[in-house]
Amino acid sequence: PVPRCPRPSEAIFGILRELGGPGGRSVPLPHALQVLGARGFTPGQVSAALAEYEGLNVLQVNPGRSTVTFV
């Protein structure tokens, strides 16, 4: 059986967590966008996921949009 596909934002968040590594507090956004794009996510999906998780206070994107930090 095929595992249930998570919503794009859940999958994106999981990948960001992986990129942060164990105990990782932040991820460079350009690198994250490159990896997520290579895995088939659109910029719109990534933006929506970042906005969703920022709204939940799980992560923050800095004003220059260069770093994603886990709260």
Side-chain angles (χ1 to χ4, degrees):
V2 177
R4 181 183 76 84
C5 186
R7 293 180 308 117
S9 57
E10 287 175 28
I12 288 166
F13 182 73
I15 293 167
L16 289 173
R17 272 293 197 206
E18 278 173 34
L19 292 175
R25 297 292 302 145
S26 64
V27 177
L29 188 54
H31 174 66
L33 292 173
Q34 197 176 3
V35 171
L36 291 164
R39 297 211 192 170
F41 294 102
T42 67
Q45 287 174 316
V46 176
S47 292
L50 291 174
E52 178 180 338
Y53 284 99
E54 269 190 301
L56 294 170
N57 261 344
V58 177
L59 56 78
Q60 292 176 331
V61 181
N62 70 329
R65 297 198 68 75
S66 60
T67 309
V68 176
T69 304
F70 297 104
V71 179

